[in-house]
Amino acid sequence: MNDTAPDDRAAIVAESQSRVHADAKPATGPLAKTRRRVLGRHLPSRMQWAVLSWALSLAILAGGAWAVCPDGQCALTDFDRIGLSLAHDLRSDVLDRLMEGVTWLGSLVLLLPLTGLAAWVLFRGGRRRVAGFIVLALLGSSALSHLVKLWVTRPRPDLFPAWSTMPEDWSYPSAHAMQATAAALALGLVVARRRSPWALAVVLAAAVLLVGLSRIYLQVHFPSDVLAGALAAVFWVLGLYALMLQRKMAGDVVKERGDAA
C-alpha cells in the first residue's frame, strides 16, 4: 500500500521536474563564459570545414597531376608501371567478364538515374536538403574530374592492349573512381545519420574498390588516376556534407550557446 498523500506526491513530482530544468540550463559562470568564448574563436565553422575539405581535394588532384605530369610532360611512373603489369598478368576469362561488368558501377549511365531516383524519393518525403546533397555529391565530383582532365591532358595507358573500349577523353583523374566514391560515400553518410550500417558500408567500399580495380585491369586508367580520383572525391563529399547536413558542427554549437548565454 502507498501511504504517501496526493499532495505530497505532487510536491515530489514538481521538485524533480524543477531539478531537471535547472540541470538543463547552460552554465553561466565566469569560467563557462570564458570556455565558450575561447572555443568559439578557435573551432572552425561549417563553412570553414567545407572550404578546408575542398582545398584538400584540389590539393590531391594538383599534387597528383604534378607527380605524373611534371612540367606538363606526362610520363609512366614506376607505380603505374607495376600496377598495370600486375593487372595484365592476372588476366583470365572470369576476371574479364567480372571487370567489364563492375566497371559500369562507376558510370553516369548507371549512377545518374539511380541517384536521381533516390533524390526524388527523398524530396517527396520532405528531405530536400538530403536529396540535394546526394545529387551535388555525384554531379560535383563528375564535373571536377572532367575539368581536371582538360587541365592535365594525360594520355590513356598504352603499356598493354586495352580490354575494353578506350574512352575518348583524357586519363587523369579517373571519373569512374571519383563518381563511384562520391556516390557511395554520400549514401553511406546519409544512412549513417540514422543508424550504423556496417554491412552497407562494407558493400559500398567493395563496390568502390572493384570499380577502381576494373579501370586498371581493363588498361583504360593508370593506378595513379584511380587513387587520386578516389581520394579527391572523399574530401569533396565531406566538405559538402559539412556545409549541407552537419547542422551543428562544434564551432557553431559553441557560438550558439555563447550567444544564448
Side-chain angles (χ1 to χ4, degrees):
M1 177 179 291
N2 189 353
D3 296 333
T4 305
D7 293 341
D8 294 337
R9 288 200 298 270
I12 293 173
V13 172
E15 183 180 358
S16 63
Q17 290 179 345
S18 64
R19 289 179 180 176
V20 170
H21 291 305
D23 293 338
K25 293 181 181 179
T28 57
L31 183 59
K33 290 182 178 180
T34 302
R35 180 176 178 272
R36 283 193 293 266
R37 190 179 300 113
V38 172
L39 292 178
R41 183 180 302 130
H42 294 288
L43 289 179
S45 65
R46 288 180 297 171
M47 177 59 75
Q48 289 172 328
W49 277 117
V51 171
L52 176 61
S53 294
W54 292 336
L56 287 173
S57 179
L58 293 176
I60 289 170
L61 292 172
W66 177 85
V68 301
C69 298
D71 300 324
Q73 300 296 321
C74 298
L76 181 64
T77 65
D78 292 337
F79 174 71
D80 290 328
R81 187 191 307 277
I82 293 173
L84 291 174
S85 298
L86 287 174
H88 178 75
D89 294 340
L90 290 173
R91 279 208 64 221
S92 68
D93 292 338
V94 174
L95 283 178
D96 284 353
R97 291 191 293 270
L98 174 63
M99 294 303 180
E100 287 177 354
V102 299
T103 198
W104 285 97
L105 294 176
S107 173
L108 286 181
V109 174
L110 181 63
L111 289 177
L112 195 56
L114 290 178
T115 301
L117 177 61
W120 181 79
V121 172
L122 290 168
F123 186 86
R124 289 292 297 260
R127 304 179 67 187
R128 299 180 179 181
R129 189 179 293 270
V130 178
F133 166 69
I134 63 173
V135 170
L136 288 176
L138 176 62
L139 296 184
S141 64
S142 180
L144 181 59
S145 68
H146 286 91
L147 286 174
V148 175
K149 284 176 182 286
L150 295 175
W151 170 52
V152 180
T153 63
R154 186 187 196 186
R156 294 278 177 170
D158 59 0
L159 186 62
F160 300 101
W163 305 116
S164 179
T165 303
M166 185 68 76
E168 297 181 357
D169 58 352
W170 300 104
S171 188
Y172 180 91
S174 169
H176 275 63
M178 287 194 71
Q179 291 161 181
T181 302
L185 181 57
L187 177 60
L189 289 173
V190 168
V191 175
R193 299 178 76 212
R194 296 178 175 271
R195 57 186 66 88
S196 299
W198 296 111
L200 177 61
V202 172
V203 171
L204 293 176
V208 171
L209 180 62
L210 284 174
V211 169
L213 292 176
S214 72
R215 306 309 285 170
I216 302 170
Y217 180 87
L218 297 173
Q219 301 288 326
V220 296
H221 269 298
F222 297 98
S224 55
D225 299 338
V226 173
L227 181 60
L231 289 176
V234 167
F235 288 103
W236 159 253
V237 174
L238 290 179
L240 198 64
Y241 179 80
L243 186 63
M244 297 185 66
L245 297 184
Q246 192 70 13
R247 297 179 179 178
K248 291 186 180 296
M249 298 296 285
D252 294 335
V253 172
V254 172
K255 184 177 180 180
E256 289 173 3
R257 289 178 178 177
D259 293 341

mmCIF file of all heavy atoms in Angstrom, residues 3-15:
data_model
loop_
_atom_site.group_PDB
_atom_site.id
_atom_site.type_symbol
_atom_site.label_atom_id
_atom_site.label_comp_id
_atom_site.label_asym_id
_atom_site.label_seq_id
_atom_site.Cartn_x
_atom_site.Cartn_y
_atom_site.Cartn_z
ATOM 1 N N ASP A 3 1.349 4.875 1.220
ATOM 2 C CA ASP A 3 0.839 5.778 2.257
ATOM 3 C C ASP A 3 1.101 7.237 1.938
ATOM 4 O O ASP A 3 0.748 8.112 2.733
ATOM 5 C CB ASP A 3 1.487 5.422 3.605
ATOM 6 C CG ASP A 3 1.085 4.015 4.057
ATOM 7 O OD1 ASP A 3 -0.013 3.564 3.655
ATOM 8 O OD2 ASP A 3 1.882 3.380 4.775
ATOM 9 N N THR A 4 1.739 7.549 0.817
ATOM 10 C CA THR A 4 2.061 8.940 0.500
ATOM 11 C C THR A 4 0.804 9.675 0.068
ATOM 12 O O THR A 4 0.063 9.211 -0.808
ATOM 13 C CB THR A 4 3.102 9.014 -0.622
ATOM 14 O OG1 THR A 4 4.223 8.234 -0.229
ATOM 15 C CG2 THR A 4 3.527 10.440 -0.874
ATOM 16 N N ALA A 5 0.557 10.819 0.640
ATOM 17 C CA ALA A 5 -0.633 11.605 0.313
ATOM 18 C C ALA A 5 -0.520 12.179 -1.086
ATOM 19 O O ALA A 5 0.582 12.407 -1.588
ATOM 20 C CB ALA A 5 -0.797 12.735 1.343
ATOM 21 N N PRO A 6 -1.685 12.430 -1.743
ATOM 22 C CA PRO A 6 -1.635 13.003 -3.103
ATOM 23 C C PRO A 6 -0.882 14.313 -3.165
ATOM 24 O O PRO A 6 -0.143 14.581 -4.108
ATOM 25 C CB PRO A 6 -3.120 13.181 -3.450
ATOM 26 C CG PRO A 6 -3.829 12.165 -2.612
ATOM 27 C CD PRO A 6 -3.055 12.089 -1.336
ATOM 28 N N ASP A 7 -1.067 15.179 -2.157
ATOM 29 C CA ASP A 7 -0.363 16.466 -2.169
ATOM 30 C C ASP A 7 1.136 16.265 -2.082
ATOM 31 O O ASP A 7 1.915 16.988 -2.714
ATOM 32 C CB ASP A 7 -0.860 17.328 -1.003
ATOM 33 C CG ASP A 7 -2.324 17.746 -1.194
ATOM 34 O OD1 ASP A 7 -2.807 17.678 -2.358
ATOM 35 O OD2 ASP A 7 -2.961 18.120 -0.196
ATOM 36 N N ASP A 8 1.562 15.268 -1.272
ATOM 37 C CA ASP A 8 2.993 15.004 -1.135
ATOM 38 C C ASP A 8 3.572 14.484 -2.440
ATOM 39 O O ASP A 8 4.679 14.846 -2.844
ATOM 40 C CB ASP A 8 3.232 13.988 -0.017
ATOM 41 C CG ASP A 8 2.852 14.547 1.359
ATOM 42 O OD1 ASP A 8 2.836 15.795 1.470
ATOM 43 O OD2 ASP A 8 2.581 13.750 2.264
ATOM 44 N N ARG A 9 2.806 13.587 -3.121
ATOM 45 C CA ARG A 9 3.304 13.060 -4.397
ATOM 46 C C ARG A 9 3.432 14.171 -5.433
ATOM 47 O O ARG A 9 4.388 14.225 -6.199
ATOM 48 C CB ARG A 9 2.354 11.973 -4.899
ATOM 49 C CG ARG A 9 2.423 10.681 -4.095
ATOM 50 C CD ARG A 9 1.866 9.527 -4.901
ATOM 51 N NE ARG A 9 0.456 9.741 -5.216
ATOM 52 C CZ ARG A 9 -0.561 9.339 -4.438
ATOM 53 N NH1 ARG A 9 -0.315 8.703 -3.285
ATOM 54 N NH2 ARG A 9 -1.808 9.553 -4.794
ATOM 55 N N ALA A 10 2.464 15.081 -5.454
ATOM 56 C CA ALA A 10 2.531 16.195 -6.404
ATOM 57 C C ALA A 10 3.723 17.083 -6.112
ATOM 58 O O ALA A 10 4.392 17.579 -7.023
ATOM 59 C CB ALA A 10 1.231 17.006 -6.340
ATOM 60 N N ALA A 11 4.014 17.277 -4.840
ATOM 61 C CA ALA A 11 5.159 18.113 -4.468
ATOM 62 C C ALA A 11 6.466 17.458 -4.895
ATOM 63 O O ALA A 11 7.397 18.121 -5.367
ATOM 64 C CB ALA A 11 5.146 18.366 -2.960
ATOM 65 N N ILE A 12 6.534 16.118 -4.734
ATOM 66 C CA ILE A 12 7.748 15.395 -5.122
ATOM 67 C C ILE A 12 7.967 15.489 -6.617
ATOM 68 O O ILE A 12 9.078 15.730 -7.101
ATOM 69 C CB ILE A 12 7.648 13.926 -4.679
ATOM 70 C CG1 ILE A 12 7.664 13.835 -3.147
ATOM 71 C CG2 ILE A 12 8.787 13.102 -5.278
ATOM 72 C CD1 ILE A 12 7.398 12.438 -2.618
ATOM 73 N N VAL A 13 6.886 15.307 -7.413
ATOM 74 C CA VAL A 13 6.989 15.396 -8.870
ATOM 75 C C VAL A 13 7.421 16.789 -9.300
ATOM 76 O O VAL A 13 8.277 16.980 -10.162
ATOM 77 C CB VAL A 13 5.651 15.014 -9.530
ATOM 78 C CG1 VAL A 13 5.689 15.299 -11.030
ATOM 79 C CG2 VAL A 13 5.346 13.549 -9.279
ATOM 80 N N ALA A 14 6.830 17.817 -8.707
ATOM 81 C CA ALA A 14 7.171 19.193 -9.059
ATOM 82 C C ALA A 14 8.629 19.497 -8.746
ATOM 83 O O ALA A 14 9.327 20.165 -9.516
ATOM 84 C CB ALA A 14 6.247 20.157 -8.312
ATOM 85 N N GLU A 15 9.112 18.973 -7.609
ATOM 86 C CA GLU A 15 10.509 19.209 -7.232
ATOM 87 C C GLU A 15 11.466 18.531 -8.197
ATOM 88 O O GLU A 15 12.489 19.105 -8.588
ATOM 89 C CB GLU A 15 10.741 18.702 -5.812
ATOM 90 C CG GLU A 15 12.164 18.966 -5.315
ATOM 91 C CD GLU A 15 12.370 18.438 -3.897
ATOM 92 O OE1 GLU A 15 11.388 17.915 -3.309
ATOM 93 O OE2 GLU A 15 13.499 18.540 -3.388
#
